[in-house]
Amino acid sequence: EKGTYPHFMLKEIDEQPFAMRKIINEYQNENNELKLDADVQMAMKAADRIYIIACGTSYHAGLVGKELIEKLASVPVEVHVASEFSYNIPLLSEKPLFVFISQSGETADSRAVLVKIKEMGYPALTITNVPGSTLSREADYTLNLYAGPEIAVASTKAYTAQIAVLAILAVDTAQAKGLKLDFDPMQELAIVANAMETLTDQKEAMEELVTNYLQAARNAFFIGRSADYHVCMEGALKLKEISYIQAEGFAGGELKHGTIALIEEGTPIIALATQPDVNYAIRGNVQEVIARGANAMIISMKSLEQDTDAFVLPQVHDLLTPLVSVVPLQLLAYYAALHRGCDIDKPRNLAKSVTVE
Ligand code: M6R
């Protein structure tokens, strides 16, 4: 039930710190060490390449998961939109492991791929919020998201839970392969949970940003580089899905190859700057759009903060920034939709779980 919340979406945004803590508890042993099912660990170790298959927000979580698995566990990862993969199967490696990411575990496009790859004899792991779901039953292994039921059509807490579980999977694989990590993953996730709480306490600031940047907007662009780019795609999906403002997430460096032609006086641009390696470059991209009249805001990580930034995120580990940078974007979408009087929990033309191909 919604309790005192006006919408499930807002409640579910607020539940993210609890979901993080639940995941930390469920995936550690009594010595506070990370633990995963031994079968999952063996399957990850045996794979020469991981194929992540998902749709929508779960696909966006997969893009972040690729970074985590490749950087921490040194296993190559491809991320595919399920509806594309099933009709256009790419050249596969010798020992693939398929990882299906699905909040509901019932998405027909993802299931179509699962059926095909099982026929081909390949192993499959499903990461889902619903352990008894079709994708969970039909795969060899399941990892639970422990996010609790997600009711709003717009996915929020499932996205962050998916990234957290993918981080745990990446760390577990790294440890199984004897790779050394220079941080304690559970401690870093606990820092994330606290940071999320700080962010969900700052709703007024988010509503004000909506007033200043999105109030009369017909369209909006989210720009970022590396991990921020993936979060920008998710921020854009959230905004268009519930507020019907046309929105796109772009790689900062790609703007000048076409999209910058759309920038007019007052076009809202939301830029993420959480990654030290690309901080200078993304800020350069923001200057380029401001020079063309854009109404641009920068959401930055604490360690990269500059005076003119519209909003500053509490510091978390560089690899885990998507878990916090997405929260203001979820809230921006929420308040933009609220100000427009949209049906937030049940946007037009959409269903919570898409059970047709
Ligand atoms: O249940 P799933 O994670 O498989 O669903 C995938 C997409 O349909 C879903 O993420 C959709 O994009 C959401 N409405 C996004 O908020």
Side-chain angles (χ1 to χ4, degrees), residues 52-101:
I52 294 181
I53 309 289
C55 309
T57 287
S58 298
Y59 169 73
H60 295 155
L63 295 172
V64 177
K66 170 186 163 78
E67 306 255 338
L68 292 165
I69 296 169
E70 290 193 340
K71 288 185 177 145
L72 294 171
S74 271
V75 187
V77 181
E78 290 181 22
V79 194
H80 292 271
V81 166
S83 56
E84 281 298 311
F85 190 97
S86 43
Y87 296 101
N88 190 12
I89 299 185
L91 196 58
L92 299 176
S93 66
E94 256 173 59
K95 291 184 196 151
L97 170 67
F98 282 81
V99 177
F100 292 84
I101 307 178

Side-chain angles (χ1 to χ4, degrees), residues 264-322:
E264 300 173 342
E265 200 57 43
T267 303
I269 300 275
I270 297 132
L272 290 182
T274 77
Q275 297 295 306
D277 294 353
V278 292
N279 185 44
Y280 183 76
I282 190 66
R283 288 177 185 276
N285 298 138
V286 171
Q287 286 314 313
E288 287 156 16
V289 292
I290 289 177
R292 284 149 184 96
N295 185 19
M297 69 157 107
I298 297 181
I299 298 178
S300 62
M301 184 50 63
K302 183 89 188 106
S303 56
L304 305 174
E305 174 178 3
Q306 292 192 8
D307 286 348
T308 50
D309 294 347
F311 191 80
V312 179
L313 301 161
Q315 190 67 41
V316 298
H317 192 283
D318 284 345
L319 284 173
L320 300 178
T321 60

Side-chain angles (χ1 to χ4, degrees), residues 38-54:
D39 292 345
V40 175
Q41 195 179 72
M42 263 163 52
M44 286 293 289
K45 236 180 124 179
D48 64 354
R49 187 174 285 256
I50 310 289
Y51 293 81
I52 294 181
I53 309 289

Side-chain angles (χ1 to χ4, degrees), residues 55-58 102-104 107 153-155 162 237-238 241 354:
C55 309
T57 287
S58 298
S102 175
Q103 188 285 130
S104 63
T107 299
V153 164
S155 183
Q162 285 161 346
L237 177 61
K238 282 293 87 84
E241 190 175 22
V354 184

Side-chain angles (χ1 to χ4, degrees), residues 125-317:
L125 159 68
T126 290
I127 300 178
T128 182
N129 209 19
V130 187
S133 58
T134 309
L135 284 170
S136 155
R137 287 196 315 271
E138 295 181 1
D140 303 274
Y141 322 100
T142 296
L143 291 178
N144 192 354
L145 293 176
Y146 297 108
E150 193 182 63
I151 311 294
V153 164
S155 183
T156 52
K157 62 177 179 172
Y159 172 80
T160 44
Q162 285 161 346
I163 293 172
V165 171
L166 286 161
I168 287 170
L169 182 65
V171 168
D172 187 71
T173 309
Q175 287 174 349
K177 290 173 72 177
L179 299 171
K180 280 258 164 298
L181 296 178
D182 57 1
F183 63 93
D184 174 345
M186 291 316 201
Q187 212 173 321
E188 295 301 334
L189 284 174
I191 293 172
V192 164
N194 292 342
M196 283 173 158
E197 217 155 57
T198 307
L199 291 169
T200 52
D201 282 346
Q202 285 175 281
K203 296 195 181 69
E204 276 162 29
M206 287 303 128
E207 196 163 5
E208 200 179 313
L209 288 178
V210 166
T211 310
N212 295 341
Y213 291 87
L214 295 170
Q215 201 67 347
R218 276 187 301 126
N219 56 10
F221 297 101
F222 293 77
I223 61 170
R225 288 172 174 247
S226 64
D228 290 338
Y229 168 39
H230 308 315
V231 181
C232 283
M233 290 169 71
E234 173 57 10
L237 177 61
K238 282 293 87 84
L239 187 66
K240 60 187 147 189
E241 190 175 22
I242 60 166
S243 76
Y244 316 138
I245 297 172
Q246 194 227 328
E248 298 301 331
F250 276 99
E254 191 62 14
L255 270 181
K256 60 183 174 298
H257 297 288
T259 312
I260 204 161
L262 293 171
I263 308 292
E264 300 173 342
E265 200 57 43
T267 303
I269 300 275
I270 297 132
L272 290 182
T274 77
Q275 297 295 306
D277 294 353
V278 292
N279 185 44
Y280 183 76
I282 190 66
R283 288 177 185 276
N285 298 138
V286 171
Q287 286 314 313
E288 287 156 16
V289 292
I290 289 177
R292 284 149 184 96
N295 185 19
M297 69 157 107
I298 297 181
I299 298 178
S300 62
M301 184 50 63
K302 183 89 188 106
S303 56
L304 305 174
E305 174 178 3
Q306 292 192 8
D307 286 348
T308 50
D309 294 347
F311 191 80
V312 179
L313 301 161
Q315 190 67 41
V316 298
H317 192 283

